[in-house]
Amino acid sequence: MTNVQPSTEPAVDDSTVGIATALRETGKKPRSPWRMMLPTMTPWLALGLFLVLGIMLFGAIGPYFTGDPNAIRDSGLQPPSPEHLLGTTQTGQDVLAQLAIATRGSLVIGFLVGILATILSAIFGILGAYLGGFADEAFSLFSNVFLVIPGLPLVIVISGFVPREARGLWTIAVVLAITGWAASARVLRAQTLSLRSRDYVAASRVAGERPWRVIAVEILPNLLPVLASQFVFAVIAAILGEAGLSFLGLGASNSSTLGTMLFYAQNGFALNLGAWWWFGPPGLIIALFGMGLSLINFSIDEIINPKLKNVRLHRKRERHARRMERGKATA
């Protein structure tokens, strides 16, 4: 009874007919509903996956091969060399070793915030919209309150009130998640209100299905692409937000992240001294990881937006027609 097609159903027009014709012409079987929830592999998606998986692999296993990031040496502010591939800091610490452990810390915070923010947005967006009535009004009001509060000032205020010794990875993750779920909850609420009126959901409710089963089996599969896109966006925002907090001295005090590397580089006058190898690599890792996640998010958008999917299928049909014409001309 579950409908796993995208929540926005395009009208049956010439483009939809053209898609069906393209599938018949290519001789390929239509993809299964579950396969339709996965993005189509494109060069941009492949590049995004390569960047994200490469940085995750570097953060996961890099600290085991780069040595002690806290070891102090006499060679301070040395440029990259065969001994130190990314140079050293002002106190002689290896930048590559610090970069590996800082990447791991930023990834942990990013994925923690992504999970927590997605769960909060699902609770206040999906559950409230399905229950309706007072629950929907209360959840919607709560979401609107958090939506109009400026995010960065609120994060700074909350982090400033937390004692420095208590500011760990989990504390920063919770602070960022609390301030980053409201916009996603509004999108999920609108999608759930549309799905709640579908025939298959109404049939499940008339059949006496429990509310949790209707949400988990009938509604949630249709929202998986939206949830995936929001999770990716939350990870990007969390890494950037943590870097901003750490740069201001409000980050995690007992752990190393890319933001803390930038903080110590700024305090060590790395920019004034021309020590680009100290502040350049962490900034580049943040930029490349954000770029990779953005490319993945654009590919997921093709599932959420049926118009983009139609465009891609039209292009496939045109390429197939050109190949057929070239084959006939050659014959």
Side-chain angles (χ1 to χ4, degrees):
M1 186 179 284
T2 303
N3 184 351
V4 292
Q5 298 297 327
S7 58
T8 305
E9 295 181 354
V12 180
D13 53 7
D14 295 339
S15 62
T16 308
V17 176
I19 295 169
T21 306
L23 291 174
R24 288 195 300 270
E25 290 177 355
T26 55
K28 296 180 180 179
K29 295 181 179 179
R31 293 188 296 177
S32 64
W34 290 104
R35 178 65 183 86
M36 291 290 290
M37 294 191 335
L38 297 177
T40 303
M41 182 57 67
T42 61
W44 296 115
L45 177 59
L47 177 60
L49 291 174
F50 174 77
L51 291 175
V52 170
L53 294 178
I55 293 175
M56 290 176 60
L57 188 64
F58 174 69
I61 66 176
Y64 298 108
F65 299 96
T66 54
D68 184 9
N70 298 318
I72 299 177
R73 304 173 182 84
D74 296 332
S75 55
L77 285 183
Q78 294 297 316
S81 63
E83 185 179 0
H84 304 287
L85 297 180
L86 289 180
T88 60
T89 65
Q90 199 170 33
T91 55
Q93 297 167 315
D94 188 76
V95 174
L96 181 60
Q98 288 192 345
L99 185 66
I101 197 70
T103 301
R104 175 187 290 182
S106 292
L107 291 177
V108 170
I109 286 183
F111 283 103
L112 280 177
V113 174
I115 294 172
L116 293 176
T118 304
I119 292 175
L120 286 175
S121 61
I123 292 175
F124 286 92
I126 300 176
L127 185 60
Y130 176 78
L131 295 177
F134 177 77
D136 184 29
E137 294 293 335
F139 285 2
S140 181
L141 176 62
F142 195 66
S143 301
N144 291 335
V145 170
F146 272 87
L147 193 60
V148 298
I149 296 178
L152 182 59
L154 180 60
V155 170
I156 294 175
V157 169
I158 295 176
S159 299
F161 275 100
V162 177
R164 180 173 177 80
E165 60 275 5
R167 268 192 258 128
L169 288 178
W170 272 100
T171 305
I172 299 299
V174 170
V175 170
L176 292 173
I178 289 176
T179 58
W181 60 270
S184 300
R186 298 296 298 174
V187 175
L188 290 174
R189 178 179 179 273
Q191 295 288 333
T192 306
L193 289 175
S194 175
L195 291 172
R196 191 179 63 174
S197 60
R198 301 291 177 87
D199 293 338
Y200 57 90
V201 176
S204 298
R205 300 173 67 177
V206 171
E209 297 286 353
R210 296 178 180 273
W212 66 266
R213 189 181 185 282
V214 176
I215 294 175
V217 177
E218 307 295 344
I219 294 178
L220 193 58
N222 294 276
L223 297 177
L224 286 180
V226 183
L227 289 170
S229 177
Q230 293 177 349
F231 172 79
V232 171
F233 180 79
V235 173
I236 299 175
I239 293 178
L240 293 176
E242 186 279 329
L245 285 177
S246 297
F247 189 78
L248 296 175
L250 299 173
S253 59
N254 57 353
S255 60
S256 178
T257 64
L258 296 172
T260 58
M261 280 194 69
L262 294 174
F263 172 75
Y264 288 118
Q266 188 265 343
N267 285 350
F269 301 101
L271 183 61
N272 296 335
L273 297 175
W276 58 265
W277 58 87
W278 193 357
F279 63 85
L284 184 62
I285 290 290
I286 293 176
L288 290 178
F289 194 73
M291 174 183 173
L293 289 177
S294 298
L295 292 175
I296 294 175
N297 204 10
F298 294 154
S299 301
I300 296 176
D301 191 42
E302 293 181 358
I303 303 172
I304 303 174
N305 190 346
K307 294 182 180 179
L308 297 179
K309 187 184 301 183
N310 293 351
V311 170
R312 184 166 298 279
L313 289 175
H314 277 302
R315 289 176 180 173
K316 288 183 178 180
R317 184 183 61 176
E318 292 175 358
R319 287 196 299 267
H320 177 73
R322 286 195 296 266
R323 285 195 299 266
M324 293 290 292
E325 291 178 359
R326 286 196 298 266
K328 291 179 181 178
T330 304

